[in-house]
Each structure stands twice: as C-alpha cells, then as structure tokens.
C-alpha cells in the first residue's frame, strides 16, 4: 500500500501560510505568519472566524498567490522574499516553509477533512476560504528568564493571554494538526503550565501539542507531568552551542547544567517510551560563535538519540549573522554545511535545517553562482 504523502510534498511554489497558519501574539495581534506584519485583527476585539476571512486576510492571500511577498507584509527574513531574486528562484526547503511537517491523514476525521479543504483552497489560490488553520501558533507569555542578544522582546513583561483568549483559540484544536506555544519563556508562568497540563486533545488524537522552551524551568516532575499522558507534549528545546562558555554567552542568565539536564531527561523518557513517539527536538541557532560546535552538537544529539534542528540566526547582528554579513566566504560555508549533511546521514537521528542554511547563504549579496 502506498504511503500517504507528507504535507510539504503537496505544496506549490507559493507560500501556504495565509491558508494554513495563524499566529496570535502576546498582545492579541493576529497574523498569518511569524514573518508577516499584516494585521488580520486582534483577538481581544474580533472573532477568529471573522479575521480568517477579513479583507486583510484575503488581500494577503491574493498577494502571496501572485508571489508579491513584500506587498503582502512579509519581513525581510522571510525565506520566500529573500529567495525571490528571479522568477526561477529555487524554492525554500520544507523546513523553511512550514514549522513542522506531518503525514497526511487518510481517515474521515474533522482534521483530515480540514486538511483536504485547506490544500484545495491553497492550490486554487482562493481568497475567501472555508478551511481553518492547520497550524495554530500562539505566544501566551511575553516574559522570559533569559536575556539573549538576538531577542528584542520585553523580558520583564507580565503580559499573558487571559482565560478568555485561551478559550477563543481552543476550539481550533478539533481541526488543527499543530498547536504551538512559544514565548518569552512559556514555563515562566505556573498558570500556563497548569493550562497545558490540563489541555484536553481527546477530540483530535492526532493533534501535536508543541512547545518552544529554553528548558531552564522544566524540572523532572514537570516533564513527567506533560509526557506521561496519552497525547504527550512535543518539546523544541533551544540550546545554542555545546560548551558551557558558548551557551552562557548567548543565553544570558540561564544555567547550562540545568538546561542540559532537561535535554537529557527528555531523551531518557523518549527512549523508554513504548509508543516510539518523538517527544523532543534540540533547536540550535547557527551564528558565528556557534559555527565550530555544530559537529559536536550532531554527535551529542546522536548519542542521546534526539533529533536536531539547525536554524539560521535572524536579525541585524554584524558580528554574528553569517547569513547576512560576509564574515565567512559563502562557498566555504556551503561546502561546510554540505559535508555536515553527509556526516549527519551516518547518524541514527534526524538532523534538519542544513539545507535551509545553504539556501540562506545563497541569498547573500556576495554569493556568486558557480560557473
């Protein structure tokens, strides 16, 4: 029997986000992507249903369908916008296009029907849609216990999503594939931890509950509470660098040993799981100061049997952003990442993001296409 395709395999050349993705940030602003600035509305004032087919949402779909990303409000870091140097530009790899890939369900569930509708409307570039977001991304907490140089958020803010906001978002879980929560550091709020612990996804057993965390506030007890359930949480743990010196240079205020203990605990629980379900992925931001530790990260992740994702640093950081500034020769970086891909293929884990790093290097102004 033929295996069902992954969601990424069904995508056309234009971005899928305006048809499949919704983001509700900490102040309630609703957009269709972390890299899009066009406001669809505010969840404190508008219903998600109205915002999803608002004039703004339909305008974004129209412009994206025409590959007019800048006019649609996409930020300079958008992989589509950065790659649009010519009409025949290579499309961003899957990891750059969607935040988590998945196999298309073939049952008669509400989720499967919604995915089918979304894909059809996306391919037809429909402006007014009946499909609902497949990816539901929210930022319930703005506060963070770290002061990373690459983050410009208000770390000391007490802003949190109210119960009313959480209740407005929750009905989407019946037809979504991914519910993702990010901060700030979401576990800086005990209230949110309690919410996540009680979050009921029984209406949609295939829903992926996905959190982005720096891992510093996840005790063994908290981890067990979120994983020892029928539908455990999937953790993306952000650890930049392998050595204590590099990590604490970037993640100012965090304890290296405590964060590594979190990663090791999740790896141990995942290894003992009888369902073989992936519970954790290590997210590693690549920049000048973490470049030399990437091979060590692959080896450590392989030893732990934990998947690893390499993400490009974003933002105007002339001393660190190798994807914007000529800190290293583009050809040298591409060769390094290509060799790293081959090395990763010898390991027993999934190492993602390297093709995205190569793609981004090729968008640098000083990159020369080989003859």
């Amino acid at each position: 029997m033929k295996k069902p395709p992954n969601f990424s395999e069904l995508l056309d050349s234009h971005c899928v986000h305006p048809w499949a993705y919704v983001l509700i940030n900490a102040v309630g602003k609703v957009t269709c992507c972390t890299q899009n600035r066009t406001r669809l509305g505010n969840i404190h004032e508008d219903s998600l249903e109205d915002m999803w087919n608002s004039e703004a949402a339909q305008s974004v779909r129209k412009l994206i369908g025409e590959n007019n990303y800048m006019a649609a409000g996409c930020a300079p870091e958008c992989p589509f916008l950065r790659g649009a140097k010519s009409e025949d530009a290579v499309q961003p790899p899957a990891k750059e296009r969607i935040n988590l890939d998945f196999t298309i369900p073939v049952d008669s569930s509400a989720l499967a029907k919604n995915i089918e509708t979304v894909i059809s409307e996306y391919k037809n570039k429909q402006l007014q849609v009946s499909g609902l977001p497949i990816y539901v991304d929210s930022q319930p907490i703005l506060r963070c216990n770290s002061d990373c140089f690459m983050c410009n958020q208000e770390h000391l803010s007490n802003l949190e999503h109210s119960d009313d906001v959480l209740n407005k978002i929750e009905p989407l879980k019946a037809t979504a594939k991914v519910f993702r929560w990010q901060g700030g550091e979401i576990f800086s709020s005990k209230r949110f931890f309690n919410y996540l612990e009680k979050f009921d996804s029984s209406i949609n057993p295939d829903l992926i509950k996905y959190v982005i965390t720096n891992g510093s506030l996840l005790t063994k007890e908290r981890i067990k509470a979120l994983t020892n359930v029928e539908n455990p949480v999937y953790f993306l743990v952000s650890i930049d660098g392998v050595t204590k010196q590099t990590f604490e240079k970037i993640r100012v205020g965090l304890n290296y040993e405590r964060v590594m203990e979190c990663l090791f605990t999740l790896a141990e629980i995942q290894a003992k799981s009888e369902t073989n379900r992936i519970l954790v992925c290590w997210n590693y931001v690549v920049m000048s100061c973490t470049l030399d530790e990437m091979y060590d990260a692959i080896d450590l992740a392989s030893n732990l049997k934990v998947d690893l994702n390499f993400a490009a640093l974003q933002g105007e950081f002339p001393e660190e952003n190798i994807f914007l500034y000529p800190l290293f020769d583009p050809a040298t970086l591409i060769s390094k990442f290509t060799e790293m891909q081959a090395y990763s293929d010898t390991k027993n884990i999934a190492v993602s993001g390297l093709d995205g790093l190569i793609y981004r290097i090729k968008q640098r102004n000083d990159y020369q296409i080989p003859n």
Side-chain angles (χ1 to χ4, degrees):
M1 184 176 177
K2 187 177 180 181
K3 180 184 175 183
N6 283 348
F7 182 67
S8 63
E9 296 176 272
L10 301 179
L11 302 184
D12 290 337
S13 61
H14 60 291
C15 178
V16 73
H17 277 66
W19 289 266
Y21 183 103
V22 67
L23 168 67
I24 304 98
N25 77 1
V27 298
K29 177 183 174 182
V30 177
T31 62
C32 68
C33 181
T34 57
Q35 298 289 357
N36 189 279
R37 304 295 180 257
T38 299
R39 181 180 182 271
L40 307 185
N42 191 294
I43 199 162
H44 296 292
E45 305 162 1
D46 312 295
S47 71
L48 281 168
E49 292 80 3
D50 289 343
M51 286 185 278
W52 196 234
N53 272 307
S54 63
E55 287 186 15
Q58 293 186 53
S59 174
V60 171
R61 291 186 189 115
K62 180 177 185 297
L63 292 165
I64 293 294
E66 297 168 349
N67 289 320
N68 198 347
Y69 294 92
M70 187 173 292
C74 298
E77 284 294 330
C78 165
F80 282 91
L81 184 58
R82 293 191 63 201
K85 292 184 175 181
S86 63
E87 291 183 1
D88 59 348
V90 176
Q91 292 300 314
K95 192 69 181 180
E96 294 279 297
R97 303 187 69 179
I98 50 177
N99 62 39
L100 196 66
D101 206 359
F102 59 88
T103 302
I104 298 294
V106 292
D107 53 30
S108 58
S109 64
L111 169 64
K113 292 176 181 177
N114 185 50
I115 291 172
E116 183 179 8
T117 300
V118 168
I119 291 172
S120 173
E121 292 174 340
Y122 157 74
K123 286 182 173 291
N124 291 323
K125 300 182 181 180
Q126 285 182 220
L127 306 186
Q128 189 162 2
V129 297
S130 59
L132 296 170
I134 296 170
Y135 296 93
V136 179
D137 200 350
S138 64
Q139 185 188 25
I141 308 293
L142 197 57
R143 182 171 63 256
C144 188
N145 60 333
S146 177
D147 189 14
C148 308
F149 75 84
M150 65 275 202
C151 180
N152 59 4
Q153 298 189 85
E154 299 177 32
H155 302 103
L156 301 179
S157 172
N158 288 320
L159 193 63
E160 295 188 22
H161 280 173
S162 65
D163 289 343
D164 181 55
V165 169
L166 295 173
N167 290 335
K168 282 185 176 181
I169 300 170
E170 198 159 317
L172 292 173
K173 67 186 179 184
T175 50
K177 179 61 181 179
V178 178
F179 255 54
R180 185 171 80 166
W181 298 278
Q182 57 178 306
E185 170 49 47
I186 60 171
F187 293 113
S188 63
S189 167
K190 184 177 180 180
R191 172 177 164 270
F192 179 75
F193 171 79
N194 292 336
Y195 166 79
L196 188 58
E197 186 179 19
K198 296 174 183 176
F199 187 86
D200 182 9
S201 59
S202 58
I203 192 173
N204 178 6
D206 289 327
L207 180 72
I208 298 173
K209 300 183 296 184
Y210 176 178
V211 299
I212 300 177
T213 175
N214 62 36
S216 64
L217 301 175
L218 275 172
T219 62
K220 290 184 178 181
E221 291 72 23
R222 280 186 159 191
I223 292 172
K224 288 178 181 178
L226 297 177
T227 56
N228 190 26
V229 291
E230 189 169 347
N231 185 8
V233 170
Y234 170 84
F235 297 86
L236 185 73
V237 184
S238 300
I239 305 175
D240 309 320
V242 175
T243 64
K244 178 182 175 73
Q245 180 181 7
T246 299
F247 173 82
E248 293 187 349
K249 173 185 176 181
I250 300 166
R251 300 280 172 172
V252 177
L254 298 190
N255 182 288
Y256 172 80
E257 288 79 12
R258 187 176 299 166
V259 171
M260 281 299 180
E261 182 183 23
C262 167
L263 183 65
F264 278 61
T265 299
L266 283 165
E268 182 181 3
I269 292 174
Q270 179 175 272
K272 292 179 178 178
S273 172
E274 296 179 358
T275 63
N276 294 320
R277 183 160 180 171
I278 302 298
L279 299 178
V280 57
C281 179
W282 173 2
N283 191 65
Y284 184 113
V285 178
V286 178
M287 59 190 93
S288 180
C289 69
T290 64
L291 191 62
D292 289 340
E293 296 180 15
M294 291 174 69
Y295 274 105
D296 293 332
I298 294 171
D299 289 339
L300 177 56
S302 179
N303 289 337
L304 293 174
K305 294 183 173 59
V306 166
D307 290 347
L308 174 64
N309 177 61
F310 289 117
L313 175 66
Q314 298 186 18
E316 301 287 337
F317 304 104
E319 295 181 359
E320 289 291 347
N321 195 334
I322 63 175
F323 305 97
L324 284 182
Y325 297 97
L327 302 172
F328 299 91
D329 174 64
T332 301
L333 288 172
I334 290 171
S335 176
K336 182 182 183 73
F337 295 145
T338 302
E339 291 172 2
M340 207 172 287
Q341 280 181 316
Y343 183 72
S344 299
D345 289 341
T346 67
K347 301 298 180 178
N348 58 346
I349 57 169
V351 178
S352 58
L354 288 166
D355 51 353
L357 302 186
I358 293 170
Y359 175 83
R360 286 178 177 266
I361 291 295
K362 288 181 178 180
Q363 313 316 314
R364 261 179 40 180
N365 292 331
D366 59 339
Y367 172 70
Q368 299 292 325
I369 299 175
N371 295 326

